[in-house]
Amino acid sequence: MKEYKFMRDGKKLRNLSRIGFESGFDWEFELKIHQVMGIFIDKQLVGLISFSHLRGFTKVSLIEVAKLYRRQRYGALLLALVMREAIKIPDNGGYVSLRTKTNGVQMFYLHLGAIWFEQTMIFQPEVCQKNVAKYLEKGW
């Protein structure tokens, strides 16, 4: 069963390397300063995203999918979940942005409709709505 939820307990974000999270990101710290959402399959954590609603847009800080679950649309699902949250914020307008590494992952964000400005990827409201409809159409 697939589900998502906001993470509240930092203890559940410790030692993620044992379940395939290889980035070394400090997700426990992220939880202290941002909202963190996780995707689970059969109660197994497979992906995490941290974000903050700022004035006029939502900023994604980190995104990571466990090694065994990469290239299976979970990154797109995580972003679509945040996009849906951004659309709900009246003063936000549905804009989402993130800074990306220069390691080729930019192509993934461009595929999702981002505009690339230096190292920042910007998802406009209509692109966010499209991704929400595409990736969250089946009950997410």
Side-chain angles (χ1 to χ4, degrees), residues 30-49:
E30 280 296 298
L31 186 60
K32 293 176 184 176
I33 58 173
H34 302 291
Q35 294 182 66
V36 176
M37 190 181 298
I39 290 183
F40 296 80
I41 298 177
D42 298 325
K43 300 189 183 206
Q44 173 67 45
L45 180 63
V46 300
L48 290 165
I49 191 166

Side-chain angles (χ1 to χ4, degrees), residues 9-11 27-28 42 48 50 58 71 76 95 108 116 120:
D9 184 2
K11 292 176 186 174
W27 286 102
E28 196 171 3
D42 298 325
L48 290 165
S50 66
T58 296
R71 302 190 188 280
Y95 285 92
F108 168 68
W116 190 0
T120 301

Side-chain angles (χ1 to χ4, degrees), residues 2 4 6 10-11 19 30 32 37 44 46 48 52-53 55 57-58 62 65 71-72 81 86 89 92 98 101 128 130:
K2 296 179 190 176
Y4 73 94
F6 283 96
K11 292 176 186 174
I19 58 172
E30 280 296 298
K32 293 176 184 176
M37 190 181 298
Q44 173 67 45
V46 300
L48 290 165
S52 298
H53 298 296
R55 186 178 177 132
F57 68 101
T58 296
L62 297 176
V65 175
R71 302 190 188 280
Q72 297 178 43
L81 288 165
I89 306 294
N92 184 303
L98 59 89
K101 296 178 184 177
C128 290
K130 180 181 172 187

Side-chain angles (χ1 to χ4, degrees), residues 79 83 94-100 105-128 131:
L79 280 168
M83 290 172 179
Y95 285 92
V96 174
S97 76
L98 59 89
R99 288 190 53 88
T100 182
V105 73
Q106 302 91 335
M107 297 308 293
F108 168 68
Y109 299 125
L110 291 171
H111 172 75
L112 293 175
I115 296 169
W116 190 0
F117 181 73
E118 296 178 0
Q119 281 187 275
T120 301
M121 302 303 245
I122 301 167
F123 297 93
Q124 295 177 314
E126 56 276 2
V127 170
C128 290
N131 284 315

